[in-house]
Amino acid sequence: MEINRHRDNTNRRIGIMGGAFNPIHYGHLMIAENAREQFSLEQVLFVPTGRSPLKHKQQVTDKVHRCAMVNLAISDNPWFALDKVEINSPEISYTFLTVEKLKEYFISSELFFILGADSLFDFESWRSPELILKNCSILAAYREHQRQEEFFEQIAYLNEKYPQKFCPLDTPNLEVSSQEIRQRVNEGRSIRYLVPEAVETYIRDNKLYLD
């Protein structure tokens, strides 16, 4: 479902899952569900990227398609919702701005931004990390085989610098990426079991990722 934009004064625990979602896949959904369960989140917002600050990144698929695929992927989970705060904004999609806007809407709620292990190591290079942490905590997903010792050392370092703002999020191993899915579609290979069936059908019917 898509979130209705209005000020919400209820006191809730809300997760924020950002990304291009080009396309959304089971890896995204698994991380979001594990975050919801492990940290007792009452809702997880999927926030597709609007205008990325990374100019070198490839052109992403039209926002209409990416939002449609997110809606299809989360339709059977009552705790998941699509939020177009970045899609509808003319501004570059810096995370600190996105979190500030969401905090304006969810005034009394506790916000948790969900990211992967690689992003954890890059976090301090993001625009205004201190403003991100002013409005939310960070849930960093890791997998047992991925630089685990370095991961927890980074968590400890960041929590010393920004007291108790970073929490490890344990997730099952699922090696899948949007780039791999796009490549497989382009090569005419199956993406079954990598994305929800409705997303697979949408990609096929709209002839996405064939260029």
Side-chain angles (χ1 to χ4, degrees):
M1 71 171 180
E2 181 178 341
I3 202 78
N4 291 321
R5 182 56 65 221
H6 63 277
R7 290 185 181 272
D8 186 335
N9 289 301
T10 57
N11 184 10
R12 295 189 293 161
R13 294 167 65 86
I14 296 177
I16 304 167
M17 185 85 178
F21 301 122
N22 189 32
I24 190 170
H25 54 67
Y26 277 127
H28 297 129
L29 298 170
M30 184 178 294
I31 289 174
E33 179 64 9
N34 277 268
R36 185 193 68 79
E37 180 180 54
Q38 290 176 38
F39 291 90
S40 301
L41 305 181
E42 293 160 81
Q43 189 169 52
V44 178
L45 305 178
F46 285 74
V47 183
T49 303
R51 296 179 57 203
S52 173
L54 302 178
K55 295 180 181 179
H56 66 274
K57 294 188 74 173
Q58 68 177 49
Q59 184 68 32
V60 296
T61 303
D62 186 271
K63 60 186 179 182
V64 172
H65 290 309
R66 291 186 290 121
C67 287
M69 288 187 285
V70 169
N71 257 333
L72 290 169
I74 67 175
S75 62
D76 63 346
N77 191 322
W79 293 282
F80 289 176
L82 169 66
D83 195 302
K84 295 181 179 179
V85 61
E86 290 191 6
I87 291 292
N88 291 335
S89 174
E91 301 174 313
I92 292 177
S93 300
Y94 290 111
T95 299
F96 82 93
L97 291 174
T98 298
V99 173
E100 282 183 349
K101 290 176 183 176
L102 290 173
K103 188 62 177 177
E104 289 176 5
Y105 295 123
F106 300 102
I107 301 171
S108 301
S109 292
E110 189 175 2
L111 303 183
F112 299 84
F113 193 86
I114 304 165
L115 49 72
D118 291 341
S119 296
L120 177 72
F121 288 92
D122 296 336
F123 181 79
E124 289 187 290
S125 68
W126 290 13
R127 179 70 66 91
S128 302
E130 69 284 352
L131 294 181
I132 298 173
L133 298 174
K134 177 183 176 182
N135 291 303
C136 70
S137 298
I138 303 295
L139 307 183
Y142 72 96
R143 301 183 179 96
E144 290 185 0
H145 68 284
Q146 284 188 324
R147 303 163 64 186
Q148 186 167 353
E149 185 175 346
E150 292 177 67
F151 175 88
F152 284 102
E153 288 176 353
Q154 183 71 1
I155 286 279
Y157 158 73
L158 290 169
N159 274 332
E160 184 174 350
K161 188 171 182 179
Y162 309 99
Q164 304 308 311
K165 278 292 189 174
F166 292 81
C167 301
L169 169 62
D170 190 11
T171 61
N173 296 330
L174 181 59
E175 296 298 330
V176 56
S177 71
S178 296
Q179 181 179 359
E180 177 189 0
I181 291 169
R182 294 193 302 270
Q183 182 175 340
R184 291 177 73 94
V185 172
N186 186 255
E187 294 172 353
R189 300 165 64 194
S190 173
I191 58 171
R192 181 175 291 181
Y193 310 126
L194 297 178
V195 300
E197 184 178 357
V199 173
E200 180 185 9
T201 299
Y202 186 93
I203 291 171
R204 183 176 62 249
D205 289 349
N206 288 277
K207 298 179 172 57
L208 302 182
Y209 311 128
L210 296 178
D211 298 330

